[in-house]
């Protein structure tokens, strides 16, 4: 009768366990990389297109407002459309009180200064800025001066139908 070789069986079992351990390690690394890239993406999205008041560039008239758009992420944002409205307006759906400003791209760690004209405020009204933009992965977003970020998919078509922007889009439109 053939005698069972325990050392060969232990060696095969060790090989199977080693391969299983390598596979689990590889899967864990892939998942960690995906998680890290996703975290970096959302962190960069959170830093992209911040709207802050401009203290350096003060508007010269009561019917002008000074706007500063910061891109504090490391990645560029593209096709930036800035709308200005009152606190009771729905900027996401194109309600605004001035011409829009279009900027082709804002590179990472950069800010864009400009003034926007408006027709004036009303009682208990204040200006709110809304920004549509496309991120480095091609996804379209909307962010307002309250810091609320929404999916802005198809914003150029929607704003074109409202005659707020029209293709071909110039490098920069503003009211100066």
């Amino acid at each position: 009768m053939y005698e069972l070789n325990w050392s060969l069986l232990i060696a095969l079992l060790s090989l199977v366990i080693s391969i299983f351990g390598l596979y689990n390690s590889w899967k864990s690394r892939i998942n960690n990389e995906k998680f890290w890239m996703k975290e970096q993406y959302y962190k960069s999205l959170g830093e992209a297109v911040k709207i802050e008041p401009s203290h350096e560039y003060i508007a010269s008239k009561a019917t002008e407002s000074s706007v500063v758009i910061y891109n504090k992420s490391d990645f560029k944002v593209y096709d930036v459309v800035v709308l200005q409205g009152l606190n009771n307006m729905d900027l996401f759906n194109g309600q605004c009180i001035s011409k829009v400003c279009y900027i082709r791209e804002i590179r990472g760690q950069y800010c864009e200064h400009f003034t926007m004209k408006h027709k004036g405020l009303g009682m208990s009204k204040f200006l709110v800025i809304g920004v549509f933009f496309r991120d480095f992965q091609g996804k379209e977003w909307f962010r307002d001066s309250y810091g609320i970020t929404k999916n802005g998919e198809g914003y150029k078509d929607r704003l074109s139908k409202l005659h707020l922007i029209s293709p071909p889009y110039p490098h920069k439109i503003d009211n100066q």
Side-chain angles (χ1 to χ4, degrees), residues 80-83 99-103 114 116 165 172-174:
V80 179
V81 177
V82 183
L83 289 89
K99 290 183 181 178
V100 301
C101 178
Y102 176 84
I103 304 161
F114 50 91
M116 296 180 79
I165 58 174
K172 183 177 179 183
I173 301 173
D174 60 20

Side-chain angles (χ1 to χ4, degrees), residues 2-119:
Y2 181 71
E3 191 174 308
L4 188 60
N5 187 349
W6 287 102
S7 61
L8 181 63
L9 186 62
I10 291 172
L12 285 174
L13 187 60
S14 297
L15 179 67
V16 169
I17 291 172
S18 296
I19 290 173
F20 183 71
L22 283 172
Y23 174 76
N24 280 339
S25 175
W26 175 75
K27 285 297 273 183
S28 175
R29 181 174 181 223
I30 295 297
N31 287 337
N32 282 341
E33 285 177 359
K34 285 181 184 177
F35 176 77
W36 181 82
M37 289 181 73
K38 194 175 191 180
E39 286 296 309
Q40 287 296 101
Y41 172 70
Y42 284 113
K43 181 180 180 246
S44 71
L45 178 62
E47 293 295 316
V49 186
K50 298 253 184 186
I51 305 160
E52 296 183 8
S54 172
H55 300 294
E56 299 169 11
Y57 298 88
I58 304 297
S60 61
K61 300 177 186 170
T63 58
E64 289 182 349
S65 60
S66 180
V67 179
V68 180
I69 304 295
Y70 287 95
N71 181 4
K72 294 185 177 181
S73 77
D74 293 329
F75 305 101
K76 290 181 180 179
V77 292
Y78 304 94
D79 298 326
V80 179
V81 177
V82 183
L83 289 89
Q84 178 177 237
L86 299 175
N87 56 322
N88 61 349
M89 292 182 156
D90 185 6
L91 293 174
F92 184 75
N93 289 316
Q95 291 182 354
C96 60
I97 61 171
S98 63
K99 290 183 181 178
V100 301
C101 178
Y102 176 84
I103 304 161
R104 175 80 57 204
E105 74 178 34
I106 302 175
R107 67 180 186 262
Q109 303 298 327
Y110 188 75
C111 63
E112 189 74 39
H113 300 268
F114 50 91
T115 58
M116 296 180 79
K117 293 181 183 178
H118 57 83
K119 295 179 181 170

Side-chain angles (χ1 to χ4, degrees), residues 140-169:
E140 296 174 337
W141 301 96
F142 171 80
R143 175 168 288 144
D144 63 16
S145 49
Y146 297 115
I148 297 171
T149 304
K150 299 179 184 179
N151 184 342
E153 199 67 38
Y155 70 91
K156 286 202 268 186
D157 291 335
R158 187 169 58 239
L159 296 177
S160 291
K161 288 178 184 173
L162 296 171
H163 304 290
L164 294 174
I165 58 174
S166 58
Y169 308 108

